[in-house]
Amino acid sequence: MENISKLGKMVFVPILEEGVFRFDCSADAENTTFPTFSFVNTEMRDTPLMSNHKLPSYLPTFECVDEQQIVNLEFPTGTSLYGTGEVSGQLERTGKRVYTWNTDAWGYGSGTTSLYQSHPWVLAILPNGEAFGILADTTKLCEIDLRKELTAKIIAPSYFPVITFGPFASATNVLTSLSHATGTVFMPPRWSLGYHQCRYSYLSDQRVREVAKTFRDKSIPCDVIWMDIDYMDGFRCFTFDKDSFPNPQSLVDDLHETGFKAIWMLDPGIKHEKGYFVYDSGTEKDIWVQTADEEPFVGEVWPGPCVFPDFTQEKARSWWVGLVKEFISNGVDGIWNDMNEPAVFQSVTKTIPASNIHRGDAELGGHQNHSHYHNVYGTLMARSTYQGMKLAEPNKRPFVLTRAGFVGSQRYAATWTGDNQSTWEHLHMSISMVLQLGLSGQPFSGPDIGGFIGNATPKLFARWMGIGAMFPFSRGHSEKGTVDHEPWSFGEECEEVCRLALRRRYRLIPHLYTLFYLAHTKGSPVASPTFFADSKDSQLRTSETSFLLGPLLVYASTVSDLGVHQLQHVLPNGTWMSFDFEDSHPDLPALYLRGGSVIPYGPAHQHIGESNPNDDLSLLVALDGNGKAEGVLFEDDGDGYGYMNGDYLLTTYVAELRSSVITVSISKTEGLWKRPNRRLHVHILLGEGAMVDAWCTDGENVQIVMPSENEVSKLVSVNKNNYKIRMETANSIPDMEDESGSEGIKLPEIPVDIKGGEWALKAVPWIGGRIISTEHLPSGTQWLHSQIEINGYEEYSGTEYRSAGCTEVYTVLDQDVEQTGDIESLQMEGDVGGGLVIERNISISEDNPKVFKIDSSLVARNVGAGSGGYSRLVCLRIHPTFCLLHPSESYVSFTSINGSKHDLLPESGEQLFEGDLRPNGEWVLIDNGLGFGLVNKFSINEVNKCSVTWDSGTVNLELWSQERPVSKQSPLSISHSYEVRRIM
């Protein structure tokens, strides 16, 4: 490695296909890289493409520092950045940073930087609408830093190759090329596109039967019921509770009889218990992940002490495959792999130690510590589960859902967006999260509809079902301790909207199934951002309330008090025809079909098993400006692998307007399937939902006379008016908010004055509880630089700048009012999501009037059972912004724990101090021009990092706690104080 350059441009070779390049730090570095997990096989990545003579359009640079490889790639002005896999927050990722480290992120927020899956991938949409992809082919912890505009920075342990794709004409082309490397999504069984109902947990087979029966009694479509961990005997995988689920085969038989499939959970944590057959067989085969001392690692999860299969070994994967094969004999239709980051309770990292040892197969990378294999552990588990199901029933397509994943996991499993919250923010985020996964190569995903954590309101649940019914994966799920979240749980109005939403989904199953076939065969996304319709339109690039299902545009409202009809719909250029199934409602998304398109749909069955090839087929047709339209329909048995041998029918339908007559016909077909004997119902969209229609036998041409302009105008006007009436007369759904929690003291939105001793402070509880003024009365100096909305004294709940905590409304719990009327202390708290609150007490003591003190804690107030009582990874970050009255005469001075002395000047920029370099309990902001210094004292036992950041006329002196999960028994706290001293 000594011969490897430390800085410069990366060397490259063309690989895979035209437009794809592999970049390495040097030829020597290329020889030191690990086998790939991203690519279908290592040979594809490591074999140069000899016929390609083109040069790459973008050349990344690199720097190697402290065994970290830093890769930078710059883009032209007008570029938008996407991808980075499973991430919360905004769709367009400029300004964001994420870390690829699969994490049990129960209660995550918009600023959480590591979720359950890792996709070290960035998709750039260039100013001209072309697209470009960057893949960091490393399994290790990877920082993807997009905070600098027009720049992608990727940092991970040395050495790893960077693979670039494009520029190509469109994002779809880039994703297709990516799929040639990483593989396409598995072809799902058709039933898995129906609605799924889940709960943590349905506690008995009787309750499962009740839920299934209620769906049928209320005529609400549903195909799948899920069993969470409480079906097990003491949370032991591959077992059933003898009292609550005494006969799983009988339960499954009953479900199958009424058209339901059953999916059961399997976690990686295997109870450490002699006599338990799974533990005993795994111990005999020596397949557990080991500690650095070569003993089986034991960590706490649901069953108590657990060991973990080492899926990097072929013998462990084969062992799991055999267990799954036997498990399927109970009538299991699908398997849910949860907690497979792998998650561990009572651990600061929420996973197994990075020093643990995996005795991996040579082709995977050999013996390595856990930091190397962590991000692919879940994928290897999902792959083994998939293979076990396939071995058990070779003529059925497996359905596996995995929480943890990596690039390529789409080949084996669908995914969901984890333990989200029942809030409007999370409803809004769910759209971008599903789209982002699709832009990163995983098209089969969806959120927990209604939110997993907390109680949805009727309006929130209805709105979420309306949107969630249009996602590739559609499942409702909620945790213990919450109200029931089935579609009928929130009153008749909400129930009816859920029924309409799911009937709409089931009508569109032929279209969705076709999109999945195209995703499986071509690598295209199922759901894509609206800008896919016009990638040059910069306004569409940040659209977060609409998305495409092929040529079908779904436009939703995520604002609680505005129905979809009350929004201004921003549509891509071209012709877009609105339509519905006479099911429009303020809480359901609006639907549009792009001009030039044909999409198929069918009857709204109660479950997909009710459908058959001879059902009436309908086509929606939207002509383009040239009077033409085209679309495809894929059909097969809905399961099995006959389609790979030609047992399918792929039909291309076309429509053309000539001399006021529209002819709809079949232009081409593929496959050996005989066309079903069925009627075809064709609908020509005219605008505002108006249409003309005709019937024929599928396979025959049908001609429809186009109405005159006057007739079209009348039809459009009537339909527009009917739509208006339908929206205005729709039964409104209440939006009763949860009133639980502290009421606090009701205050007007004016700053609260805290005054005592030498200090006069102002705080604004309604915007992050921030302090906006710290006036030192004897010197007449103002130390904070602040506006009401930003800066001043802020606190965050994460390591990222302005993460949750700095903008929320804080509740005032108590205030100490003196006889003079002055407030000398203020106690308040702010809900930062995921069951967490920041508690803050600001006080000026009579015993020490020179000092004001701030005691802050990040507390687990209501962390649910879904996380084992532990929150997501959090950090209490104190972020005050101080003003510099005399910048050239100001500096920060302190003595470190190790005794070293530091004087930091404004030109030193940003500096971070950890370990023994931290200030030894105090640091001072000195202004020689004033002759005063502001002293900040704190406990080094509570502060894990200190940072100093200088800016124009300001400086931040930050205190950071540890980053770890918190429980009710283990909050994160920082108590610190400020006083002014005269500097001699």
Side-chain angles (χ1 to χ4, degrees):
M1 291 194 184
E2 293 180 358
N3 296 325
I4 298 174
S5 174
K6 300 296 183 183
L7 179 71
K9 291 183 178 180
M10 304 184 81
V11 299
F12 63 87
V13 293
I15 62 168
L16 191 66
E17 61 191 18
E18 186 173 314
V20 181
F21 294 90
R22 169 179 172 159
F23 289 85
D24 290 276
C25 297
S26 70
D28 289 333
E30 181 180 349
N31 296 326
T32 67
T33 56
F34 286 99
T36 180
F37 268 91
S38 305
F39 281 60
V40 174
N41 63 67
T42 296
E43 184 178 343
M44 296 167 66
R45 186 198 68 178
D46 295 349
T47 304
L49 191 65
M50 304 309 297
S51 61
N52 190 316
H53 301 291
K54 289 189 175 181
L55 297 177
S57 301
Y58 294 94
L59 298 172
T61 60
F62 79 94
E63 182 179 4
C64 293
V65 179
D66 297 331
E67 298 185 346
Q68 295 284 305
Q69 178 178 319
I70 304 169
V71 176
N72 279 284
L73 213 158
E74 296 184 355
F75 297 101
T77 300
T79 298
S80 304
L81 302 176
Y82 304 89
T84 68
E86 186 180 53
V87 288
S88 55
Q90 67 197 41
L91 177 65
E92 207 280 326
R93 302 303 297 172
T94 298
K96 297 297 181 180
R97 174 174 58 176
V98 299
Y99 297 88
T100 62
W101 187 255
N102 292 0
T103 302
D104 177 3
W106 185 96
Y108 61 85
S110 60
T112 305
T113 55
S114 295
L115 296 183
Y116 308 89
Q117 303 213 0
S118 292
H119 297 79
W121 161 261
V122 177
L123 177 67
I125 305 300
L126 304 172
N128 63 358
E130 292 183 343
F132 182 82
I134 313 122
L135 174 67
D137 194 15
T138 176
T139 61
K140 296 182 179 179
L141 172 64
C142 182
E143 177 183 340
I144 305 174
D145 188 350
L146 307 179
R147 292 176 298 173
K148 183 180 178 182
E149 193 173 5
L150 307 176
T151 301
K153 178 189 285 188
I154 301 172
I155 306 171
S158 307
Y159 291 97
F160 62 90
V162 173
I163 316 298
T164 65
F165 299 80
F168 295 134
S170 69
T172 299
N173 290 352
V174 169
L175 293 174
T176 296
S177 185
L178 175 67
S179 76
H180 295 163
T182 65
T184 63
V185 67
F186 69 100
M187 186 63 189
R190 199 165 185 261
W191 59 260
S192 67
L193 303 190
Y195 176 67
H196 301 239
Q197 183 61 52
C198 189
R199 170 80 173 174
Y200 169 46
S201 283
Y202 293 128
L203 295 177
S204 68
D205 59 0
Q206 179 183 351
R207 176 60 178 151
V208 173
R209 289 181 171 95
E210 288 173 358
V211 170
K213 183 176 185 300
T214 306
F215 270 103
R216 296 296 179 249
D217 289 347
K218 290 182 174 290
S219 297
I220 300 174
C222 184
D223 265 85
V224 190
I225 306 291
W226 291 59
M227 266 53 72
D228 211 313
I229 54 173
D230 288 287
Y231 80 83
M232 301 176 190
D233 177 14
F235 306 138
R236 298 171 182 87
C237 288
F238 302 103
T239 69
F240 298 90
D241 186 281
K242 293 180 176 59
D243 296 321
S244 301
F245 289 85
N247 191 336
Q249 183 67 64
S250 174
L251 171 62
V252 169
D253 289 345
D254 290 347
L255 290 174
H256 286 177
E257 189 174 330
T258 53
F260 286 96
K261 304 293 184 181
I263 293 180
W264 308 73
M265 176 183 281
L266 289 175
D267 291 348
I270 301 300
K271 188 174 178 64
H272 184 270
E273 179 183 66
K274 289 184 179 179
Y276 165 37
F277 75 98
V278 180
Y279 173 77
D280 289 344
S281 65
T283 300
E284 180 183 351
K285 293 182 180 297
D286 186 27
I287 53 86
W288 308 124
V289 174
Q290 293 185 336
T291 66
D293 297 327
E294 299 184 353
E295 294 293 329
F297 167 76
V298 180
E300 192 84 8
V301 204
W302 297 115
C306 288
V307 288
F308 297 82
D310 183 358
F311 290 107
T312 69
Q313 300 183 73
E314 171 58 33
K315 65 178 181 179
R317 297 194 297 274
S318 297
W319 168 82
W320 186 267
V321 164
L323 288 169
V324 168
K325 179 184 177 184
E326 182 64 27
F327 188 60
I328 295 298
S329 67
N330 294 287
V332 170
D333 296 302
I335 292 178
W336 175 12
N337 287 159
D338 194 20
M339 305 290 288
N340 56 339
E341 292 75 30
V344 176
F345 298 155
Q346 301 178 18
S347 166
V348 170
T349 63
K350 305 201 78 170
T351 190
I352 65 181
S355 59
N356 278 1
I357 300 301
H358 293 268
R359 293 164 286 167
D361 302 331
E363 62 269 23
L364 299 184
H367 287 221
Q368 301 289 339
N369 64 24
H370 183 66
S371 65
H372 180 80
Y373 286 118
H374 173 83
N375 284 335
V376 296
Y377 186 91
T379 297
L380 289 170
M381 179 184 182
R383 185 175 84 175
S384 301
T385 303
Y386 179 92
Q387 290 171 341
M389 293 190 70
K390 197 169 182 179
L391 186 64
E393 297 180 308
N395 295 321
K396 289 187 177 181
R397 300 174 200 161
F399 179 83
V400 179
L401 185 79
T402 183
R403 190 168 79 174
F406 189 70
V407 176
S409 61
Q410 73 277 357
R411 302 197 296 268
Y412 314 109
T415 194
W416 87 107
T417 60
D419 295 341
N420 60 355
Q421 302 178 44
S422 293
T423 65
W424 288 93
E425 179 190 32
H426 275 252
L427 164 62
H428 182 87
M429 279 199 311
S430 68
I431 299 175
S432 294
M433 293 182 75
V434 168
L435 297 178
Q436 215 71 266
L437 280 162
L439 295 178
S440 303
Q442 171 52 289
F444 203 172
S445 74
D448 285 342
I449 293 173
F452 180 72
I453 300 165
N455 297 324
T457 65
K459 183 178 283 292
L460 174 61
F461 190 85
R463 194 75 62 83
W464 211 325
M465 183 65 79
I467 298 170
M470 295 289 99
F471 284 144
F473 177 57
S474 184
R475 184 185 74 156
H477 186 35
S478 54
E479 76 167 343
K480 286 181 177 178
T482 62
V483 300
D484 287 346
H485 277 63
E486 289 75 38
W488 53 84
S489 301
F490 296 95
E492 292 182 2
E493 298 90 349
C494 178
E495 178 184 323
E496 178 58 20
V497 170
C498 292
R499 185 181 293 106
L500 290 172
L502 291 172
R503 285 175 63 85
R504 176 183 280 188
R505 178 181 184 86
Y506 276 65
R507 284 182 177 273
L508 290 168
I509 289 295
H511 177 56
L512 286 171
Y513 192 56
T514 299
L515 291 177
F516 268 99
Y517 174 73
L518 297 175
H520 173 64
T521 55
K522 299 181 183 300
S524 55
V526 174
S528 55
T530 304
F531 71 76
F532 270 46
D534 184 1
S535 57
K536 295 179 183 179
D537 186 339
S538 60
Q539 186 177 9
L540 296 178
R541 295 187 183 185
T542 55
S543 177
E544 296 180 342
T545 56
S546 62
F547 58 95
L548 293 165
L549 295 169
L552 171 59
L553 177 65
V554 180
Y555 208 105
S557 171
T558 58
V559 181
S560 62
D561 56 353
L562 291 177
V564 70
H565 63 299
Q566 295 169 303
L567 301 178
Q568 182 68 39
H569 294 192
V570 178
L571 302 176
N573 288 330
T575 301
W576 292 89
M577 294 287 192
S578 63
F579 72 95
D580 62 17
F581 301 106
E582 297 185 352
D583 59 358
S584 290
H585 189 281
D587 292 308
L588 290 180
L591 303 178
Y592 295 88
L593 185 60
R594 183 173 55 208
S597 304
V598 178
I599 62 168
Y601 71 92
H605 291 296
Q606 293 301 293
H607 59 91
I608 289 174
E610 278 188 341
S611 62
N612 71 75
N614 295 322
D615 285 339
D616 291 342
L617 175 67
S618 298
L619 298 179
L620 277 172
V621 179
L623 299 174
D624 62 15
N626 297 316
K628 294 182 179 181
E630 181 177 303
V632 296
L633 169 65
F634 174 79
E635 301 170 276
D636 71 350
D637 281 331
D639 209 341
Y641 298 93
Y643 74 93
M644 300 179 69
N645 299 313
D647 290 337
Y648 67 92
L649 180 62
L650 182 66
T651 305
T652 301
Y653 293 95
V654 295
E656 186 172 9
L657 172 63
R658 286 187 178 179
S659 302
S660 300
V661 175
I662 302 168
T663 302
V664 179
S665 60
I666 294 172
S667 66
K668 61 180 177 181
T669 62
E670 285 182 21
L672 303 176
W673 246 38
K674 182 181 178 182
R675 184 165 305 281
N677 181 22
R678 63 190 172 198
R679 297 192 304 168
L680 182 67
H681 194 187
V682 178
H683 304 264
I684 308 295
L685 297 178
L686 304 175
E688 300 291 348
M691 59 183 72
V692 292
D693 68 314
W695 288 86
C696 69
T697 299
D698 187 23
E700 298 177 354
N701 293 355
V702 59
Q703 293 188 325
I704 303 171
V705 176
M706 187 71 172
S708 68
E709 286 188 20
N710 187 48
E711 290 171 325
V712 168
S713 179
K714 287 180 180 179
L715 287 169
V716 168
S717 178
V718 168
N719 211 73
K720 186 175 182 179
N721 188 57
N722 289 341
Y723 174 83
K724 182 172 181 287
I725 293 171
R726 204 155 53 235
M727 288 302 196
E728 291 175 348
T729 59
N731 290 328
S732 60
I733 300 176
D735 193 23
M736 301 170 293
E737 296 292 348
D738 183 6
E739 298 295 335
S740 62
S742 303
E743 288 191 5
I745 300 170
K746 303 299 183 184
L747 294 175
E749 289 190 358
I750 58 174
V752 177
D753 291 307
I754 308 162
K755 191 173 183 180
E758 297 187 352
W759 290 96
L761 316 178
K762 288 183 185 294
V764 285
W766 71 94
I767 309 178
R770 72 181 64 251
I771 305 172
I772 61 171
S773 176
T774 56
E775 183 182 359
H776 183 245
L777 300 175
S779 65
T781 52
Q782 170 60 258
W783 290 90
L784 276 182
H785 172 81
S786 179
Q787 301 172 21
I788 287 182
E789 296 85 4
I790 196 168
N791 292 329
Y793 177 94
E794 302 177 333
E795 292 181 1
Y796 311 145
S797 61
T799 58
E800 289 298 291
Y801 174 61
R802 296 188 64 74
S803 54
C806 66
T807 59
E808 288 74 9
V809 175
Y810 278 56
T811 300
V812 174
L813 303 178
D814 192 19
Q815 48 189 358
D816 183 9
V817 183
E818 297 301 297
Q819 290 182 348
T820 60
D822 292 335
I823 298 172
E824 288 196 340
S825 70
L826 181 68
Q827 184 181 353
M828 52 187 169
E829 67 176 32
D831 188 332
V832 294
L836 301 172
V837 296
I838 292 180
E839 297 178 347
R840 187 177 312 145
N841 186 53
I842 308 165
S843 61
I844 305 169
S845 171
E846 292 181 356
D847 298 333
N848 192 0
K850 294 179 178 291
V851 172
F852 77 86
K853 187 179 181 185
I854 304 175
D855 301 298
S856 297
S857 294
L858 189 51
V859 179
R861 178 66 53 74
N862 186 29
V863 175
S867 66
Y870 286 83
S871 74
R872 64 183 185 267
L873 287 173
V874 289
C875 171
L876 181 57
R877 178 177 170 183
I878 310 297
H879 179 87
T881 302
F882 299 112
C883 55
L884 305 176
L885 295 179
H886 305 91
S888 63
E889 299 179 71
S890 299
Y891 63 98
V892 173
S893 181
F894 65 89
T895 300
S896 289
I897 296 171
N898 65 9
S900 60
K901 297 185 181 298
H902 302 265
D903 290 326
L904 309 178
L905 301 176
E907 52 266 29
S908 61
E910 182 177 352
Q911 291 184 273
L912 184 67
F913 299 92
E914 303 179 72
D916 286 348
L917 288 176
R918 287 172 294 159
N920 193 15
E922 75 171 48
W923 50 3
V924 188
L925 171 58
I926 295 173
D927 187 328
N928 280 330
L930 291 174
F932 290 103
L934 180 67
V935 182
N936 179 204
K937 292 186 176 182
F938 55 88
S939 169
I940 59 174
N941 294 323
E942 295 177 330
V943 174
N944 193 51
K945 299 178 185 178
C946 299
S947 74
V948 179
T949 305
W950 300 90
D951 204 344
S952 177
T954 66
V955 64
N956 300 113
L957 298 183
E958 291 194 329
L959 308 175
W960 298 39
S961 73
Q962 283 182 295
E963 185 183 20
R964 62 170 172 82
V966 297
S967 66
K968 290 181 178 179
Q969 294 75 35
S970 60
L972 286 168
S973 300
I974 294 179
S975 295
H976 62 123
S977 64
Y978 296 93
E979 67 175 297
V980 171
R981 293 179 188 165
R982 184 170 292 279
I983 305 300
M984 303 303 293

